[in-house]
């Protein structure tokens, strides 16, 4: 096996205390508002939202209640992701009462586990004779993976190992059943990838090689028999959902069409795909496996260069929540599931652990400030599953083909994967800020915080993303020299003099010290040393490839990492009549009131096209000057239902 860069030291959430004008408010809202609300939903204590029954399913499976299983076959995963989010929340803000309630849920889960280690409430309650008979549709391994992630996080946060012991027994059950046929095992693979991530989390916490080996088996077995799921259905003669037939399935849907080393394009269900890529990248970093990393790089390039929205959204069709083909990125029919953007954050971080390339950090940043953040209302009480780039009231969420693209966030979902996924992402944000490898400390994100790292305690003071001012304060733990590598976002112009870096007030040579998007500052640091980074944040125009048919002649606006959009709340109706001048004049201003208070908005001098009456006419529309207002994409749909567009046509002058 050809080796790549040395193994990184994983940063735990409890090592990083976020103190940031942008993210602290979101983290506090997640801990103080979202997690308690989700707990009530999982306990069926909230009226007017979709029933969950998820915790009650565990109570029934544990013999502590009576009734029938209710919900999606993967309902267990909602509880697991909530517990994982709670673990991170406890690392940020200790809460004995929340911890006690989480412990009580874990005790119920432990009682529900079967004597042989099996754990899945659907089959324990409803069809115990059908265990492991439909890996494609029934998500048993998917739920197991999420429970493993929760167990690892809870153990790291609290030191309590009850859930860890539950998932180790579950992992032993899985390892005893799945593996090479010549060992008398089932050469199966998950229908929905996730257990690979969970097994690698168990490996990181316990150091037990068998968990990493099992993850590698699941990854490398995939695609060896492209017809595995079809043959499984034919052999079993049973299926969970009636709409599925016993005809050969689309094996690209769950990336079973080829081995992981042969796959060259991101295809099928977007979340399944990127969870798999995340595990591939994680395993590549752990083992220094260059071949596996290169397989990840091919898939990464296909996504970010040909199959990703400007917001970071991926999976452009509602049909299968899936990738389609290169450059097929419709705005008003976009699917762009919140979970898929979250998965890209996971993937990007694991790629950074293989190779310190700033392009990975750029995508991680784009997802955090746009595609993921748009999934939750500013007050933390409502959620988007789907994140379109254009909505039209009366069409979006209503007409055939557009029913998935809602104009307002619902309060909950029957399939509630995104709300709990968002909770665990935002609560674990500190884990994505740093990588440590050897004598180099990599800073990936300009997020205000204090981080307790191996080489030093580093405090970042940041006014990002609204201002280009970031300061690092270093408190080394020894006299040993180390290198601080700071990610400089790819949109910065390092040649025009607007980006400046000083070390203790002395200018650093950015051009000489920057490689692959990281500025490398190596020295024997002393307590009180500072690194100041300053840069301009002009409003930028983005143009799509001419192969993206929906965006021909259009522009989108960005400032810093934030994508902007236009809403009828600011610009009136008929947003399609607005034009952005080729020679654009735009300025940023801080919103001082209303739900958007504290956000930086854009004021753009543009045009509105006025046409004659009638459906069709020979009279050419005329343009009238108009002052346009753009808001951050993540903040749209917070002021009632209305039109929204990210891309506007450009008007030549």
């Amino acid at each position: 096996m050809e080796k790549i860069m040395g193994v990184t030291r994983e940063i735990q959430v409890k090592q990083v205390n976020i103190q940031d004008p942008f993210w602290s408010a979101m983290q506090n809202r997640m801990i103080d508002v979202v997690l308690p609300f989700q707990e009530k939903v999982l306990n069926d204590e909230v009226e007017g939202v979709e029933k969950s029954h998820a915790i009650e399913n565990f109570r029934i499976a544990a013999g502590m209640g009576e009734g029938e299983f209710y919900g999606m076959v993967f309902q267990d995963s909602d509880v697991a992701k909530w517990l994982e989010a709670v673990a991170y929340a406890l690392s940020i803000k200790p809460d004995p009462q929340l911890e006690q309630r989480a412990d009580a849920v874990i005790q119920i889960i432990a009682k529900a586990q079967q004597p042989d280690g099996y754990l899945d409430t659907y089959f324990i309650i409803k069809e115990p004779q059908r265990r492991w008979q439909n890996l494609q549709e029934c998500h048993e391994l998917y739920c197991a993976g999420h429970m493993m992630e929760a167990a690892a996080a809870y153990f790291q946060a609290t030191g309590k190992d009850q859930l860890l012991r539950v998932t180790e027994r579950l992992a032993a059950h899985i390892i005893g059943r799945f593996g090479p046929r010549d060992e008398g095992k089932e050469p199966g693979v998950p229908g929905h990838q996730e257990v690979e991530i969970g097994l690698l989390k168990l490996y990181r916490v316990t150091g037990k090689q068998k968990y990493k080996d099992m993850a590698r088996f699941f990854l490398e077995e995939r695609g060896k028999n492209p017809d595995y799921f079809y043959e499984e259905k034919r052999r079993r003669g049973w299926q969970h959902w009636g709409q599925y037939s016993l005809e050969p399935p689309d094996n690209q849907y769950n990336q079973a069409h080829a081995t992981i080393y042969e796959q060259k394009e991101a295809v099928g269900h977007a979340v399944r795909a990127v969870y798999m890529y995340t595990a591939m990248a994680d395993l590549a970093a752990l083992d220094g496996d260059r071949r596996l990393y290169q397989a990840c790089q091919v898939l990464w390039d296909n996504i970010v260069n040909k199959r990703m929205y400007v917001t970071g959204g991926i999976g452009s069709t509602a049909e299968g929540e899936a990738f389609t083909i290169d450059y097929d990125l419709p705005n008003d029919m976009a699917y762009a599931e919140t979970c898929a953007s979250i998965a890209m954050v996971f993937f990007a971080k694991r790629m950074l652990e293989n190779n310190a390339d700033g392009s990975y950090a750029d995508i991680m940043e784009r997802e955090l400030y746009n595609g993921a953040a748009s999934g939750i209302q500013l007050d933390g009480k409502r959620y988007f599953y789907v994140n379109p780039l254009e909505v039209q009231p009366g069409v979006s969420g209503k007409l055939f083909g557009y029913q998935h693209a809602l104009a307002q966030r619902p309060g909950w979902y029957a399939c509630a994967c995104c709300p709990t996924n968002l909770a665990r992402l935002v609560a674990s944000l500190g884990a994505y800020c740093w990588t440590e490898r050897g004598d180099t400390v990599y800073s990936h994100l300009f997020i205000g915080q204090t981080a307790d790292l191996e080489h030093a305690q580093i405090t970042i003071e940041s006014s990002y993303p609204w201002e280009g001012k970031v300061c690092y304060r270093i408190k080394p733990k020894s006299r040993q020299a180390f290198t601080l590598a700071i990610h400089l976002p790819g949109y910065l112009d390092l040649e025009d003099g607007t980006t400046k870096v000083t070390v203790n007030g002395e200018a650093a040579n950015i051009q000489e010290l920057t490689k692959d998007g990281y500025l490398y500052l190596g020295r024997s640091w002393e307590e009180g040393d500072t690194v100041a980074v300053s840069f301009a944040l002009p409003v930028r125009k983005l143009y799509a490839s001419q192969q993206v048919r929906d965006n021909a002649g259009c522009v989108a606006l960005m400032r810093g990492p934030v994508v902007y959009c236009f809403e009828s709340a600011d610009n009136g109706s008929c947003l399609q009549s607005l034009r952005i001048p080729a020679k654009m004049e735009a300025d940023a201003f801080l919103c001082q009131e209303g739900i958007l208070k504290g956000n930086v908005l854009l004021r753009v001098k543009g045009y509105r096209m006025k046409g004659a009456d009638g459906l069709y006419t020979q009279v050419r529309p005329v343009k009238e000057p108009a002052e346009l207002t753009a808001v951050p994409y993540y903040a749209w749909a917070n002021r009632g239902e209305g039109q929204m567009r990210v891309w506007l046509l450009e008007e030549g002058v």
Side-chain angles (χ1 to χ4, degrees), residues 175 199-200 203 208-220 283 287:
I175 292 168
L199 286 164
L200 291 173
Y203 167 74
K208 295 178 181 178
Q209 181 71 26
K210 60 184 178 180
Y211 301 140
K212 181 153 68 78
D213 291 343
M214 191 71 231
R216 183 174 283 275
F217 172 82
F218 279 137
L219 289 170
E220 294 191 333
L283 184 59
D287 284 350

Side-chain angles (χ1 to χ4, degrees), residues 393-413:
V395 175
S396 303
K398 303 288 185 182
L399 300 187
F400 179 78
Y402 302 88
Q403 291 167 331
H404 60 283
L406 305 180
Q408 291 281 278
R409 295 173 180 84
W412 199 253
Y413 295 87

Side-chain angles (χ1 to χ4, degrees), residues 298-552:
V298 169
L299 294 162
W300 173 276
D301 287 343
N302 180 244
I303 293 174
V304 302
N305 295 321
K306 296 180 179 179
R307 300 189 176 189
M308 174 179 281
Y309 286 98
V310 69
T311 57
I314 58 172
S316 57
T317 180
E319 185 68 28
E321 303 176 317
F323 294 103
T324 55
I325 61 174
D326 293 348
Y327 307 111
D328 179 44
L329 297 166
N331 297 314
D332 55 357
M333 299 179 73
Y335 200 74
E337 183 181 342
T338 301
C339 280
S341 281
I342 293 170
M344 282 300 297
V345 176
F346 302 159
F347 187 21
K349 180 57 165 60
R350 294 308 186 190
M351 290 296 276
L352 282 167
E353 291 170 1
N354 284 274
N355 183 18
D357 187 324
S359 64
Y360 304 140
D362 286 335
I363 293 299
M364 185 163 66
E365 182 181 78
R366 183 175 297 238
E367 299 289 3
L368 286 170
Y369 286 98
N370 301 285
S374 63
I376 189 167
Q377 197 94 342
L378 292 177
D379 63 9
K381 296 179 180 179
R382 303 175 72 82
Y383 308 90
F384 270 143
Y385 192 110
V386 173
N387 296 273
L389 281 75
E390 178 181 331
V391 296
Q392 174 68 49
V395 175
S396 303
K398 303 288 185 182
L399 300 187
F400 179 78
Y402 302 88
Q403 291 167 331
H404 60 283
L406 305 180
Q408 291 281 278
R409 295 173 180 84
W412 199 253
Y413 295 87
C415 176
C417 54
C418 296
T420 47
N421 222 358
L422 265 173
R424 68 176 183 144
L425 174 70
V426 174
S428 64
L429 185 62
Y432 298 92
C433 297
W434 303 91
T435 295
E436 290 188 282
R437 183 186 292 112
D439 64 354
T440 303
V441 177
Y442 296 90
S443 170
H444 303 308
L445 298 165
F446 287 144
I447 294 177
Q449 62 191 275
T450 297
D452 186 16
L453 307 172
E454 181 171 295
H455 289 288
Q457 183 184 86
I458 301 178
T459 297
I460 301 178
E461 298 167 1
S462 175
S463 54
Y464 199 68
W466 306 134
E467 294 182 84
K469 296 178 182 178
V470 185
C471 181
Y472 292 74
R473 300 190 183 278
I474 319 297
K475 185 179 180 181
K477 294 184 175 179
S478 72
R479 293 187 175 276
Q480 182 179 356
F482 69 91
T483 297
L484 175 62
I486 299 173
H487 172 239
L488 299 179
Y491 61 79
L492 295 181
D493 190 333
L494 304 185
E495 304 289 339
D496 68 358
T498 59
T499 301
K500 303 181 190 310
V501 178
T502 62
V503 181
N504 296 332
E506 295 185 9
N509 190 319
I510 298 176
Q511 287 76 24
E512 288 186 4
L513 297 175
T514 300
K515 177 185 176 183
D516 296 333
Y518 282 84
L519 175 75
Y520 288 83
L521 301 170
R523 59 188 283 146
S524 294
W525 299 90
E526 296 183 4
E527 185 171 350
D529 283 350
T530 61
V531 178
V533 185
S534 61
F535 45 91
L537 288 176
V539 180
R540 315 191 308 278
K541 281 184 179 180
L542 270 73
Y543 298 88
S545 165
Q546 291 303 294
Q547 297 189 67
V548 181
R549 61 188 183 279
D550 290 71
N551 296 333

Side-chain angles (χ1 to χ4, degrees), residues 259-303:
T259 70
I260 56 175
Y261 300 105
E262 297 168 320
Q263 296 186 32
K264 307 301 180 187
E265 295 180 327
V267 298
H269 188 277
V271 177
R272 298 180 195 225
V274 183
Y275 278 2
M276 182 177 80
Y277 308 156
T278 297
M280 290 165 59
D282 192 4
L283 184 59
L286 287 168
D287 284 350
D289 188 335
R290 179 171 294 277
R291 183 187 179 209
L292 189 51
Y293 167 66
Q294 289 174 339
C296 293
Q297 183 64 52
V298 169
L299 294 162
W300 173 276
D301 287 343
N302 180 244
I303 293 174

Side-chain angles (χ1 to χ4, degrees), residues 561-634:
V562 178
V563 176
Y564 281 79
C565 67
F566 297 84
E567 290 190 282
S568 55
D570 307 297
N571 302 287
S573 61
C574 202
L575 296 184
Q576 61 270 27
S577 69
L578 303 181
R579 301 290 184 269
I580 302 293
K583 295 180 180 179
M584 182 180 68
E585 294 182 39
D587 63 274
F589 66 97
L590 186 67
C591 183
Q592 302 286 355
E593 59 185 8
I595 188 68
L596 299 183
K597 183 179 180 180
N599 287 270
V600 169
L601 313 186
L602 304 182
R603 188 181 293 110
V604 183
K605 291 184 178 180
Y607 300 101
R608 183 181 298 276
M609 305 304 294
K610 293 280 189 173
D613 293 337
L615 182 58
Y616 303 106
T617 177
Q618 296 184 58
V619 178
R620 190 178 190 276
V622 297
K623 63 184 182 183
E624 296 181 352
E627 186 174 276
L628 313 180
T629 299
V631 304
Y633 173 75
Y634 69 78

